[in-house]
């Protein structure tokens, strides 16, 4: 089955700096890669996703890149703000059909300091 | 659209009791997924259901856990004879395709 590894487990940046979180996956058949943000005690919320037919996607201060050959994808947050502080999870879909389970990384706790 | 509704939000059970967690998917969504999140850990897939069918239960423990999604009504995750290790947040997600929307979760505490 799919295995997703995520690094780093914790990340502290100063407000205004950039943050990068990296994930690798094992199943070459995976073709959908979402990123979720989870604040303390709340539900995971989808912030951006990418499909395997594109290499990069951007939404305001958030971007995701995908390298299918190397089987890794990354989340980039620019101009970080205190409200970006949360736990971020990457995930990969096993690619079977239009709806399928996600395998999640272990999460990155991002702390944005003033 | 009320989103994915889970209840109860918090559930306390004594060891040996049964826990029943409910999930109503978003209107129009026919796929329901259950995930478990242990404290300070990521989400682990448990089961994927469509109406009246279990599609993938590869993440479900072999004993004490069961799930259903009947033709009418919410999806139910049932844990029999709960143990302390079952204490976790259980999230339900629904999807018409690959983009998930999670519910607010049920936080189960076994005492």
């Amino acid at each position: 089955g799919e295995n997703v590894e995520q690094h780093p487990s914790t990340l502290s940046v100063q407000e205004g700096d950039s943050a990068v979180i990296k994930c690798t996956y094992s199943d070459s058949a995976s073709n959908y890669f979402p990123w979720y943000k989870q604040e303390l005690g709340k539900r995971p919320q989808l912030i951006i996703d990418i499909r395997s037919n594109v290499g990069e996607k951007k939404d305001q201060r958030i971007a995701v890149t995908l390298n299918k050959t190397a089987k890794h994808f990354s989340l980039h947050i620019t101009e970080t703000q205190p409200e970006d502080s949360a736990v971020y999870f990457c995930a990969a879909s096993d690619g079977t059909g239009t709806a399928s389970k996600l395998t999640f990384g272990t999460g990155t706790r991002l702390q944005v300091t003033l | 659209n009320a989103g994915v509704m889970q209840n109860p939000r918090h559930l306390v059970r004594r060891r040996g009791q049964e826990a029943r967690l409910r999930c109503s998917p978003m209107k129009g969504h026919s796929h329901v997924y259950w995930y478990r999140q242990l404290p300070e850990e990521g989400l682990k897939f448990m089961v994927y259901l469509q109406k009246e069918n279990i599609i993938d239960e590869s993440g479900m423990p072999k004993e004490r856990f069961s799930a259903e999604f009947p033709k009418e009504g919410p999806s139910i995750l049932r844990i029999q004879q709960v143990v302390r290790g079952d204490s976790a947040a259980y999230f339900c997600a629904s999807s018409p395709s690959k983009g998930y929307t999670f519910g607010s979760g049920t936080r189960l505490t076994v005492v």
Side-chain angles (χ1 to χ4, degrees):
Chain A
E2 176 67 276
N3 182 50
V4 176
E5 295 191 357
Q6 183 172 347
H7 300 280
S9 56
T10 60
L11 179 59
S12 182
V13 299
Q14 285 197 320
E15 184 179 8
D17 288 351
S18 294
V20 180
I21 302 170
K22 298 182 179 182
C23 289
T24 61
Y25 62 99
S26 61
D27 187 352
S28 57
S30 289
N31 60 8
Y32 175 66
F33 308 92
W35 286 87
Y36 285 84
K37 175 184 180 182
Q38 187 178 30
E39 296 176 359
L40 187 63
K42 297 194 175 179
R43 75 182 78 188
Q45 290 194 303
L46 179 68
I47 55 171
I48 195 168
D49 57 13
I50 191 168
R51 299 182 188 275
S52 60
N53 57 346
V54 298
E56 184 173 358
K57 184 177 178 181
K58 191 173 182 180
D59 182 4
Q60 299 183 332
R61 297 186 296 109
I62 295 172
V64 58
T65 59
L66 171 65
N67 183 326
K68 284 177 58 180
T69 303
K71 289 190 281 189
H72 66 68
F73 55 114
S74 301
L75 177 71
H76 304 252
I77 306 174
T78 58
E79 301 171 23
T80 53
Q81 301 168 2
E83 52 265 37
D84 293 330
S85 297
V87 179
Y88 291 81
F89 293 97
C90 62
S93 166
D94 66 6
T96 54
T98 57
S100 55
K101 69 185 183 187
L102 292 175
T103 300
F104 283 84
T106 49
T108 296
R109 185 175 300 278
L110 174 64
Q111 180 72 43
V112 180
T113 58
L114 297 172
Chain B
N1 196 329
V4 180
M5 303 300 292
Q6 286 189 252
N7 66 81
R9 291 291 304 275
H10 300 275
L11 182 62
V12 179
R13 284 288 178 266
R14 287 197 170 90
R15 282 178 293 170
Q17 291 185 319
E18 178 181 288
R20 291 171 70 89
L21 288 60
R22 296 174 186 78
C23 169
S24 296
M26 289 182 71
K27 188 175 181 180
H29 287 192
S30 58
H31 306 270
V32 168
Y33 303 80
W34 286 92
Y35 285 78
R36 177 165 62 177
Q37 186 175 35
L38 295 170
E40 303 296 320
E41 293 190 13
L43 295 103
K44 300 291 186 187
F45 169 79
M46 298 183 75
V47 62
Y48 160 36
L49 310 103
Q50 294 181 18
K51 285 283 187 183
E52 298 184 280
N53 283 304
I54 296 174
I55 307 301
D56 182 348
E57 56 181 348
S58 57
M60 289 277 273
K62 293 289 185 284
E63 298 177 349
R64 302 187 298 107
F65 285 73
S66 62
E68 63 176 4
F69 189 14
K71 188 176 180 181
E72 301 290 338
S75 175
I76 305 288
L77 179 67
R78 182 180 177 207
I79 311 172
Q80 295 178 292
Q81 300 175 328
V82 296
V83 301
R84 288 225 171 100
D86 297 332
S87 295
Y90 292 83
F91 289 97
C92 164
S94 75
S95 169
S97 60
K98 286 190 175 178
Y100 280 15
T101 300
F102 280 97
S104 296
T106 293
R107 280 151 186 84
L108 172 66
T109 302
V110 179
V111 297

